[in-house]
Amino acid sequence: MRILLINGSPRRGTANSRIVLDALRSRSGEGHEYRMVETMIAGGASPEDLDADFIVLAFPLYIDCLHSKLLSWLLSYEALRRAAAAQGGPAPSGPPSNGAKRRAGMIAVANCGFHEGIQNKTALDIVANFCARAGIEWRGGLGIGTGEMLREMKGAPDGMFIKRPVSRALDSIASRVGEGPVPAGNLYASHGFPWAAFKAMGHLGWRKMAKANGVGRRQMK
């Protein structure tokens, strides 16, 4: 199976989204052909992208939506599919016909800095609507809260109590890569870290950044 990995983060290789893609790839196995696209530098979809049997998308939440570069890439991908469908006749008003390109599948994982994974629901709904328009089989998404902890916990064992809820959610969403029936709907998860402690760590981080840049607490307020 040819799997297209889409990194929709401006941070590219250092992004939490890249950590997610690497985790999903390791769970999907090495018997596939993988190709990575970084939407910050891709400029737009290419005809080669249409060859994918399955698409795995990972991105950070941007005000309940997707980063503009990622949105542009998705629109260009849809346009390519429609152009392929129109080669044998007029472009369809709905999703591209299966005759032009077999129906690819897609899962998406969104992460955010909020504690609650469900904060990503609107963004995942946007991706689901895109799939409906572009003629892609939507196989559901995963919304991860406490997103910045993905980097902090990268080297920790998957079974560690703090990491375990996200690891199990990644196991579940990765099982939807491929063919065959899958459970419907989205999944949501956060690291096993108390909300109050997560908030305190966030405030500590802001203060350290401000101090490093010569900004005092009074100026911050």
Side-chain angles (χ1 to χ4, degrees):
M1 177 181 292
R2 286 170 290 197
I3 299 178
L4 183 65
L5 306 172
I6 304 176
N7 182 353
S9 174
R11 293 180 181 176
R12 299 178 57 197
T14 62
N16 295 318
S17 298
R18 179 59 185 269
I19 294 173
V20 167
L21 289 175
D22 290 343
L24 292 174
R25 174 170 177 166
S26 68
R27 285 162 167 79
S28 300
E30 293 302 321
H32 308 293
E33 178 184 331
Y34 294 94
R35 194 166 68 84
M36 176 81 69
V37 169
E38 293 185 338
T39 58
M40 283 298 294
I41 61 174
S46 68
E48 189 180 4
D49 297 330
L50 296 181
D51 292 333
D53 302 303
F54 206 93
I55 302 170
V56 179
L57 167 63
F59 63 95
L61 189 68
Y62 270 71
I63 316 180
D64 291 336
C65 192
L66 288 65
H67 190 273
S68 61
K69 287 283 188 177
L70 174 56
L71 285 171
S72 297
W73 188 94
L74 293 173
L75 289 171
S76 67
Y77 181 86
E78 179 189 354
L80 279 181
R81 285 184 62 85
R82 290 187 177 277
Q87 286 180 355
S93 56
S97 66
N98 290 339
K101 173 69 178 71
R102 65 188 174 280
R103 188 173 170 86
M106 176 188 276
I107 61 170
V109 180
N111 78 88
C112 67
F114 297 106
H115 191 272
E116 306 84 4
I118 201 169
Q119 295 279 0
N120 298 286
K121 181 180 184 304
T122 299
L124 293 175
D125 288 344
I126 291 171
V127 179
N129 288 335
F130 159 76
C131 287
R133 276 183 55 92
I136 298 170
E137 181 188 3
W138 173 240
R139 302 204 123 202
L142 167 61
I144 300 177
T146 62
E148 285 302 304
M149 294 188 69
L150 286 164
R151 184 182 298 103
E152 301 298 328
M153 304 298 297
K154 181 180 178 181
D158 285 341
M160 183 180 180
F161 72 99
I162 294 177
K163 192 176 180 179
R164 191 183 304 133
V166 171
S167 298
R168 288 178 175 174
L170 288 170
D171 290 341
S172 182
I173 201 68
S175 70
R176 303 185 185 187
V177 176
E179 300 177 353
V182 296
N186 297 330
L187 306 173
Y188 301 99
S190 302
H191 290 86
F193 200 71
W195 180 87
F198 183 74
K199 180 180 178 182
M201 292 295 292
H203 284 312
L204 179 63
W206 285 117
R207 289 167 185 152
K208 284 183 65 177
M209 290 173 63
K211 185 177 180 180
N213 286 278
V215 178
R217 186 174 299 186
R218 180 177 298 178
Q219 291 169 291
M220 287 180 68
K221 292 184 177 181

